[in-house]
């Protein structure tokens, strides 16, 4: 059964630097979304080939079609540092491959502390 785990003070989770905790044998990173300023919690293991996914970057998703028309969409992805695959920061879904999903976890702030459910 999953429980809420106290990870860090909210003020310690800053943009661009993941806060990594080990919970039940898994490394889980809490990151600050630069687009929303909210927090996301993602397992620190890429489902493609096992990179430390939380060392990637959080970015606004860009979508487009062949022919050069691209647009920013209302969605944040984490970009894997090894091969550049993207995973939705909230759902974990890879937009390019529906069979590929990163593990994500509920995260909340209570009394200035970051809690992750895992
Ligand atoms: S290990 Fe993450 S995209 Fe390959």
């Amino acid at each position: 059964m999953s429980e809420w785990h106290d990870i860090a003070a909210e003020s310690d989770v800053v943009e661009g630097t993941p806060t990594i905790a080990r919970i039940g044998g898994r490394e889980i990173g809490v990151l600050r979304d630069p687009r929303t300023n909210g927090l996301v919690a993602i397992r620190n293991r890429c489902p493609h080939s096992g990179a430390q996914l939380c060392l990637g970057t959080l970015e606004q998703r860009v979508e487009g079609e062949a022919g050069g028309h691209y647009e920013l969409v209302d969605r944040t992805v984490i970009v894997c540092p090894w091969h550049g695959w993207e995973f939705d920061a909230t759902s974990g879904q890879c937009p390019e491959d529906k069979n590929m999903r990163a593990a994500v976890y509920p995260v909340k702030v209570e009394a200035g502390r970051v809690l992750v459910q895992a």
Side-chain angles (χ1 to χ4, degrees):
M1 190 168 98
S2 60
E3 302 172 7
W4 289 97
H5 300 269
D6 187 324
I7 302 300
E10 189 205 6
S11 59
D12 288 343
V13 183
V14 296
E15 187 180 320
T17 304
T19 299
I20 308 248
R22 180 170 287 279
I23 301 173
R26 293 165 292 188
E27 282 190 359
I28 298 173
V30 175
L31 303 98
R32 188 167 296 279
D33 183 338
R35 188 176 64 84
T36 65
N37 201 37
L39 300 176
V40 294
I42 302 171
R43 186 170 181 191
N44 193 24
R45 186 177 190 288
C46 180
H48 176 229
S49 291
Q52 293 184 64
L53 185 57
C54 295
L55 300 183
T57 56
L58 285 175
E59 300 176 3
Q60 187 168 4
R61 169 86 174 153
V62 177
E63 293 187 348
E65 301 171 12
H69 177 74
Y70 298 95
E71 63 181 306
L72 293 167
V73 298
D74 189 23
R75 188 172 175 191
T76 301
V77 291
I78 187 161
V79 182
C80 181
W82 279 9
H83 309 109
W85 289 28
E86 297 182 353
F87 301 91
D88 186 288
T90 303
S91 71
Q93 182 66 57
C94 175
E96 314 303 340
D97 183 343
K98 298 300 178 199
N99 295 315
M100 195 70 76
R101 178 184 293 268
V104 295
Y105 303 88
V107 58
K108 65 182 179 181
V109 177
E110 281 185 2
R113 301 294 301 178
V114 176
L115 306 176
V116 171
Q117 189 177 36

